[in-house]
Structures are given as C-alpha cells and as structure tokens.
Amino acid sequence: MKFMEDAITTYGEIIQDQVVKVDAIINHQVDVNLMQECANAILAHYKMKNITKVVTIESSGIAPALFCAQQLQVPMVFFKKSVPSTLTKQFYTSQVHSFTKNIDYQMCASSDYLKSDDRILLVDDFLANGEALMGAIDIIKQANATIEGIAVLIEKAFQGGHKRIEEAGYELFALASIKTMQNGKITFQSSSHEE
Ligand code: 5GP
C-alpha cells in the first residue's frame, strides 16, 4: 500500500544487508496515525471474518494489533517472548529463533486467553523468515483456535517467510512488500504507486 511504502521510504534505514530500521515509526517511537491507517487497511482486507481476538507478538506488533482490536471491539492478546513467573496456570509454548537478535526464545501464551472457539486475526510488524509467525501459529494450533487471517506491516519478499506461511496453509496480507534493499535504496514488490 502506498502509504506504507512512503513511510518506509521516508523513515527506513538499511542497517545490514537484510535489516531495515524503522524505529521512527514502528519499533521504538510509534506513529499512531500510521498504526491507525494500517489497522484500517488490515480490517478492510479481512472484513466479514467474525474475528473474536487479535493476536500479536510482543512488543512491536502490539501497536497495530491494538488499533485492529479496538476497531473490532475484541480483545488483543500478545504472545510473550519469555515465560514470566506470573504465568502460573496452563500455558502454550513454542521455540522461536529471533532473526534480529540471533537467539532462540520461548514464545508463550496463557490458555486463559486462547480458546478453541476463537477466530484469530494474527498481526505482526515484520515478516522475514517466518519464525515468529510460525511460532504464533503453533501456539494457536495448540489451543485449537482458528486463524482467519495473518497480516504484517512489512514483509521482506527476498526472505522465505511468505512462502512458509502460505505452505502452512494460511493467507498472508502484507501492507508493504520489500523486494530489494541495495545501495541504500529500498524497492517494493508490486508497488501500489502505479495504482
Ligand atoms: P522472522 O521471525 O519472520 O524471521 O522475523 C520477524 C521478526 O524479526 C519480527 O517480529 C521483527 O521483530 C524482526 N525483524 C525481522 N526483520 C526485521 C527488519 O528488517 N527490521 C526490523 N526492525 N525487525 C525485523
């Protein structure tokens, strides 16, 4: 979507071959109007799905997920990246490899907030190799809940995540799809600038 591509073009900094920093709008400071616009686009895409919960992964998925949940008037649940001592009852876990931190972590969620009759919209900030989303899908499957849609603000199409999610049987909606990040320039997969 043009608005997302414009935001990445304006604020994105390529900091490694495969990593773009968008701390000014998503990962440190949050542009609330942009998050609202992202939520509008995600919900326009996944309309009429009778979503009962919006699920994300802490911490950068929380902002767009919250705007989606507020609009749908359903709870937002964020999966944690380590098991807190307060998680005393039954909980689900999945081992995930972090792309940016290059460490493995234990994603977890309490069984209190995921039920088998839940119809989930899964939202995250970035899709790279699909590790984080596959971990979240694993947890949602353990709860026997249904995934109605998966949305990311930014996917990097040159990495394997999109294919992995689709091969697992889910539709993925990316607001911006980065095709290349070379010589300080970011290009997009199917630029909506032409629309
Ligand atoms: P994946 O699990 O798909 O390999 O990577 C996705 C996760 O890693 C996202 O939740 C995000 O936190 C982080 N990530 C992956 N690529 C990037 C990137 O280029 N920039 C930033 N800021 N985070 C990224």
Side-chain angles (χ1 to χ4, degrees), residues 14 16-20 99 128-129 156 158-159 181:
I14 301 166
Q16 287 164 29
D17 271 2
Q18 299 196 325
V19 179
V20 58
F99 175 73
N129 295 315
K156 288 174 292 172
F158 52 85
Q159 294 180 277
M181 303 194 319

PDB file of all heavy atoms in Angstrom, residues 14 16-20 99 128-129 156 158-159 181:
ATOM      1  N   ILE A  14      18.507   1.257   6.013  1.00  0.00           N
ATOM      2  CA  ILE A  14      19.060  -0.092   5.841  1.00  0.00           C
ATOM      3  C   ILE A  14      20.283  -0.187   6.745  1.00  0.00           C
ATOM      4  O   ILE A  14      21.251   0.548   6.564  1.00  0.00           O
ATOM      5  CB  ILE A  14      19.446  -0.341   4.368  1.00  0.00           C
ATOM      6  CG1 ILE A  14      18.214  -0.166   3.479  1.00  0.00           C
ATOM      7  CG2 ILE A  14      20.041  -1.729   4.193  1.00  0.00           C
ATOM      8  CD1 ILE A  14      18.514  -0.058   2.012  1.00  0.00           C
ATOM      9  N   GLN A  16      21.679  -3.387   7.853  1.00  0.00           N
ATOM     10  CA  GLN A  16      22.501  -4.537   7.444  1.00  0.00           C
ATOM     11  C   GLN A  16      21.943  -4.966   6.107  1.00  0.00           C
ATOM     12  O   GLN A  16      20.899  -4.483   5.701  1.00  0.00           O
ATOM     13  CB  GLN A  16      22.344  -5.698   8.423  1.00  0.00           C
ATOM     14  CG  GLN A  16      23.020  -5.525   9.767  1.00  0.00           C
ATOM     15  CD  GLN A  16      22.487  -6.544  10.774  1.00  0.00           C
ATOM     16  OE1 GLN A  16      22.074  -7.633  10.418  1.00  0.00           O
ATOM     17  NE2 GLN A  16      22.471  -6.149  12.029  1.00  0.00           N
ATOM     18  N   ASP A  17      22.578  -5.943   5.478  1.00  0.00           N
ATOM     19  CA  ASP A  17      22.100  -6.448   4.184  1.00  0.00           C
ATOM     20  C   ASP A  17      20.596  -6.695   4.169  1.00  0.00           C
ATOM     21  O   ASP A  17      19.907  -6.381   3.216  1.00  0.00           O
ATOM     22  CB  ASP A  17      22.770  -7.798   3.884  1.00  0.00           C
ATOM     23  CG  ASP A  17      24.065  -7.595   3.151  1.00  0.00           C
ATOM     24  OD1 ASP A  17      24.403  -6.418   2.946  1.00  0.00           O
ATOM     25  OD2 ASP A  17      24.706  -8.595   2.808  1.00  0.00           O
ATOM     26  N   GLN A  18      20.105  -7.298   5.258  1.00  0.00           N
ATOM     27  CA  GLN A  18      18.720  -7.773   5.252  1.00  0.00           C
ATOM     28  C   GLN A  18      17.853  -7.134   6.333  1.00  0.00           C
ATOM     29  O   GLN A  18      16.747  -7.591   6.576  1.00  0.00           O
ATOM     30  CB  GLN A  18      18.721  -9.290   5.450  1.00  0.00           C
ATOM     31  CG  GLN A  18      19.470 -10.027   4.352  1.00  0.00           C
ATOM     32  CD  GLN A  18      19.161 -11.496   4.324  1.00  0.00           C
ATOM     33  OE1 GLN A  18      18.960 -12.121   5.361  1.00  0.00           O
ATOM     34  NE2 GLN A  18      19.095 -12.070   3.144  1.00  0.00           N
ATOM     35  N   VAL A  19      18.356  -6.104   6.972  1.00  0.00           N
ATOM     36  CA  VAL A  19      17.586  -5.497   8.074  1.00  0.00           C
ATOM     37  C   VAL A  19      17.328  -4.019   7.807  1.00  0.00           C
ATOM     38  O   VAL A  19      18.245  -3.250   7.524  1.00  0.00           O
ATOM     39  CB  VAL A  19      18.324  -5.650   9.428  1.00  0.00           C
ATOM     40  CG1 VAL A  19      17.515  -5.000  10.555  1.00  0.00           C
ATOM     41  CG2 VAL A  19      18.583  -7.122   9.751  1.00  0.00           C
ATOM     42  N   VAL A  20      16.059  -3.652   7.899  1.00  0.00           N
ATOM     43  CA  VAL A  20      15.696  -2.249   7.758  1.00  0.00           C
ATOM     44  C   VAL A  20      15.214  -1.739   9.119  1.00  0.00           C
ATOM     45  O   VAL A  20      14.451  -2.405   9.811  1.00  0.00           O
ATOM     46  CB  VAL A  20      14.644  -2.037   6.636  1.00  0.00           C
ATOM     47  CG1 VAL A  20      13.380  -2.831   6.873  1.00  0.00           C
ATOM     48  CG2 VAL A  20      14.304  -0.573   6.472  1.00  0.00           C
ATOM     49  N   PHE A  99      15.237 -13.462  14.350  1.00  0.00           N
ATOM     50  CA  PHE A  99      16.042 -13.047  13.193  1.00  0.00           C
ATOM     51  C   PHE A  99      16.972 -11.895  13.556  1.00  0.00           C
ATOM     52  O   PHE A  99      18.154 -11.909  13.209  1.00  0.00           O
ATOM     53  CB  PHE A  99      15.105 -12.625  12.052  1.00  0.00           C
ATOM     54  CG  PHE A  99      15.826 -12.069  10.871  1.00  0.00           C
ATOM     55  CD1 PHE A  99      16.548 -12.905  10.022  1.00  0.00           C
ATOM     56  CD2 PHE A  99      15.812 -10.708  10.597  1.00  0.00           C
ATOM     57  CE1 PHE A  99      17.232 -12.387   8.932  1.00  0.00           C
ATOM     58  CE2 PHE A  99      16.492 -10.192   9.507  1.00  0.00           C
ATOM     59  CZ  PHE A  99      17.195 -11.030   8.678  1.00  0.00           C
ATOM     60  N   ALA A 128      10.168 -11.878   8.090  1.00  0.00           N
ATOM     61  CA  ALA A 128      11.455 -12.150   7.428  1.00  0.00           C
ATOM     62  C   ALA A 128      11.461 -13.621   7.005  1.00  0.00           C
ATOM     63  O   ALA A 128      10.970 -13.971   5.937  1.00  0.00           O
ATOM     64  CB  ALA A 128      12.600 -11.811   8.374  1.00  0.00           C
ATOM     65  N   ASN A 129      11.924 -14.491   7.903  1.00  0.00           N
ATOM     66  CA  ASN A 129      11.926 -15.933   7.578  1.00  0.00           C
ATOM     67  C   ASN A 129      10.682 -16.651   8.093  1.00  0.00           C
ATOM     68  O   ASN A 129      10.549 -17.859   7.901  1.00  0.00           O
ATOM     69  CB  ASN A 129      13.187 -16.590   8.156  1.00  0.00           C
ATOM     70  CG  ASN A 129      14.445 -16.052   7.500  1.00  0.00           C
ATOM     71  OD1 ASN A 129      14.497 -15.913   6.279  1.00  0.00           O
ATOM     72  ND2 ASN A 129      15.441 -15.712   8.302  1.00  0.00           N
ATOM     73  N   LYS A 156       9.687  -8.794   3.936  1.00  0.00           N
ATOM     74  CA  LYS A 156      10.839  -8.711   3.046  1.00  0.00           C
ATOM     75  C   LYS A 156      10.739  -9.916   2.123  1.00  0.00           C
ATOM     76  O   LYS A 156      10.985 -11.054   2.523  1.00  0.00           O
ATOM     77  CB  LYS A 156      12.130  -8.690   3.870  1.00  0.00           C
ATOM     78  CG  LYS A 156      12.291  -7.338   4.594  1.00  0.00           C
ATOM     79  CD  LYS A 156      13.471  -7.319   5.527  1.00  0.00           C
ATOM     80  CE  LYS A 156      13.205  -8.246   6.693  1.00  0.00           C
ATOM     81  NZ  LYS A 156      14.377  -8.433   7.557  1.00  0.00           N
ATOM     82  N   PHE A 158      12.381 -11.023  -0.235  1.00  0.00           N
ATOM     83  CA  PHE A 158      13.566 -11.807  -0.616  1.00  0.00           C
ATOM     84  C   PHE A 158      13.929 -12.844   0.444  1.00  0.00           C
ATOM     85  O   PHE A 158      14.869 -13.610   0.283  1.00  0.00           O
ATOM     86  CB  PHE A 158      14.767 -10.865  -0.891  1.00  0.00           C
ATOM     87  CG  PHE A 158      15.036  -9.897   0.226  1.00  0.00           C
ATOM     88  CD1 PHE A 158      15.809 -10.265   1.313  1.00  0.00           C
ATOM     89  CD2 PHE A 158      14.491  -8.614   0.193  1.00  0.00           C
ATOM     90  CE1 PHE A 158      16.059  -9.382   2.341  1.00  0.00           C
ATOM     91  CE2 PHE A 158      14.727  -7.717   1.219  1.00  0.00           C
ATOM     92  CZ  PHE A 158      15.508  -8.103   2.302  1.00  0.00           C
ATOM     93  N   GLN A 159      13.199 -12.868   1.540  1.00  0.00           N
ATOM     94  CA  GLN A 159      13.401 -13.905   2.551  1.00  0.00           C
ATOM     95  C   GLN A 159      12.248 -14.920   2.454  1.00  0.00           C
ATOM     96  O   GLN A 159      11.297 -14.715   1.725  1.00  0.00           O
ATOM     97  CB  GLN A 159      13.508 -13.266   3.943  1.00  0.00           C
ATOM     98  CG  GLN A 159      14.766 -12.401   4.041  1.00  0.00           C
ATOM     99  CD  GLN A 159      14.959 -11.733   5.385  1.00  0.00           C
ATOM    100  OE1 GLN A 159      14.380 -10.687   5.646  1.00  0.00           O
ATOM    101  NE2 GLN A 159      15.783 -12.327   6.209  1.00  0.00           N
ATOM    102  N   MET A 181      16.838  -4.336  -1.028  1.00  0.00           N
ATOM    103  CA  MET A 181      17.415  -3.273  -0.186  1.00  0.00           C
ATOM    104  C   MET A 181      18.885  -3.222  -0.576  1.00  0.00           C
ATOM    105  O   MET A 181      19.682  -4.000  -0.083  1.00  0.00           O
ATOM    106  CB  MET A 181      17.298  -3.644   1.300  1.00  0.00           C
ATOM    107  CG  MET A 181      15.887  -3.903   1.742  1.00  0.00           C
ATOM    108  SD  MET A 181      15.649  -3.944   3.532  1.00  0.00           S
ATOM    109  CE  MET A 181      17.046  -4.836   4.116  1.00  0.00           C
TER     110      MET A 181
END
